[in-house]
Amino acid sequence: MEGEKGAMRYRKGAPLISESPWSRLVGDILVAFVALIGWPLSRLLYSIKIENTNSRSGLTHRLPSRAILLSNHCMPLDPVFHGLAVFPRRTYFTLLEETCEAPVLGSLVRLLGGIPLPRSSGRLKDIEEAVAHGLSTRGLVHFYPEGECFIGNQRIFPFKAGACYFAIRFGVPIVPIVSILKRRHGKKSRRTQVTVRVLAPILPPPPDKTIRATLIRSIQFSRQIHDLMQAEIEREGGDHSLYRGPM
């Protein structure tokens, strides 16, 4: 029965992470399958490039053993792109609670490592415990701090500070992952080329004495990360004319 519960879609009030040896095995197989088909598909549709080289220094870097991953969200296939960017490492990833409640899709995203984000403030402790579990097992937890997908957007919307709060709370670095979009064949082309750049890890400030003060630091830290990611898009010539609105 435990294995069956691990495969069931999420329902409000249920544990945010529910795994069994069976569901972990199925999840590993699914991730490998997504990577197998995701790479050629991404190359075909978007000529994708995945880079972990700092554009300023030219130096490459490795993912830390534990980190919060943080990305802008501008393409429907971003979860595939960003999963490929850290493969063969696996990450938990946060997403809307409603997605995890959907039939079939909810079970699939849970098996792949989806953590629903309940809207109820009464479950904030549950979210913190789920992030702690993710960091202690896979070592990586991914957030889209804009809160939703904005198709083709290269002007990153303001970040919610939750991801940076958890980085401060657990003393782990933020690894920004930036999606940079350009037109594939000149200004009149309708085809998009995607570059996913994994930036160097950024250590968070230490927590403050009170939760309120730590939250203020989280907001300031999230703005720092936002500005860094936006600067990377501008430096690499991200095309602002591609914006099509929220998904």
Side-chain angles (χ1 to χ4, degrees):
M1 291 297 293
E2 184 182 4
E4 293 176 6
K5 290 181 180 179
M8 289 176 62
R9 76 178 191 268
Y10 170 82
R11 299 181 188 279
K12 280 185 172 63
L16 302 185
I17 295 180
S18 179
E19 292 184 319
S20 66
W22 179 87
S23 64
R24 285 194 293 271
L25 174 62
V26 173
D28 287 342
I29 294 171
L30 284 173
V31 167
F33 178 73
V34 170
L36 182 65
I37 65 171
W39 179 251
L41 180 65
S42 300
R43 288 286 296 169
L44 176 65
L45 295 177
Y46 298 106
S47 295
I48 192 168
K49 300 177 184 177
I50 296 177
E51 303 172 348
N52 67 339
T53 302
N54 188 292
S55 61
R56 288 182 173 177
S57 67
L59 298 175
T60 59
H61 42 265
R62 294 182 179 180
L63 284 175
S65 59
R66 299 200 313 154
I68 299 288
L69 309 178
L70 191 153
S71 308
N72 59 319
H73 200 357
C74 56
M75 300 292 283
L77 285 180
D78 276 339
V80 175
F81 300 158
H82 300 145
L84 290 171
V86 301
F87 189 80
R89 293 280 300 274
R90 285 193 63 187
T91 180
Y92 286 100
F93 56 96
T94 60
L95 69 165
L96 294 174
E97 185 177 42
E98 292 82 355
T99 303
C100 291
E101 291 179 291
V104 183
L105 177 62
S107 297
L108 177 63
V109 296
R110 295 269 279 172
L111 286 168
L112 289 170
I115 299 176
L117 292 179
R119 299 182 185 275
S120 170
S121 59
R123 300 207 66 187
L124 293 177
K125 185 65 175 177
D126 293 338
I127 296 174
E128 183 171 318
E129 290 176 354
V131 173
H133 173 83
L135 292 172
S136 66
T137 52
R138 297 181 188 178
L140 302 173
V141 181
H142 183 279
F143 287 82
Y144 288 114
E146 291 171 284
E148 60 179 303
C149 180
F150 298 94
I151 304 295
N153 187 39
Q154 292 291 271
R155 289 187 176 91
I156 305 174
F157 281 86
F159 285 168
K160 296 175 173 62
C164 289
Y165 171 79
F166 291 128
I168 294 173
R169 170 73 176 81
F170 295 112
V172 298
I174 290 281
V175 175
I177 303 177
V178 187
S179 290
I180 303 164
L181 309 183
K182 300 179 183 179
R183 295 184 188 272
R184 288 176 65 172
H185 304 292
K187 293 182 179 181
K188 295 184 179 181
S189 174
R190 294 186 178 182
R191 304 197 69 182
T192 303
Q193 193 270 317
V194 179
T195 298
V196 177
R197 177 160 289 155
V198 182
L199 303 185
I202 302 172
L203 292 174
D208 212 316
K209 294 180 180 179
T210 67
I211 293 178
R212 178 181 174 80
T214 299
L215 286 171
I216 292 173
R217 287 191 178 182
S218 303
I219 294 170
Q220 295 169 339
F221 187 39
S222 69
R223 289 172 179 167
Q224 174 191 340
I225 302 296
H226 174 282
D227 292 348
L228 177 75
M229 293 171 64
Q230 186 64 58
E232 191 72 20
I233 290 174
E234 302 304 329
R235 189 179 300 115
E236 295 302 306
D239 190 336
H240 296 288
S241 71
L242 290 167
Y243 182 53
R244 297 292 180 267
M247 187 168 74

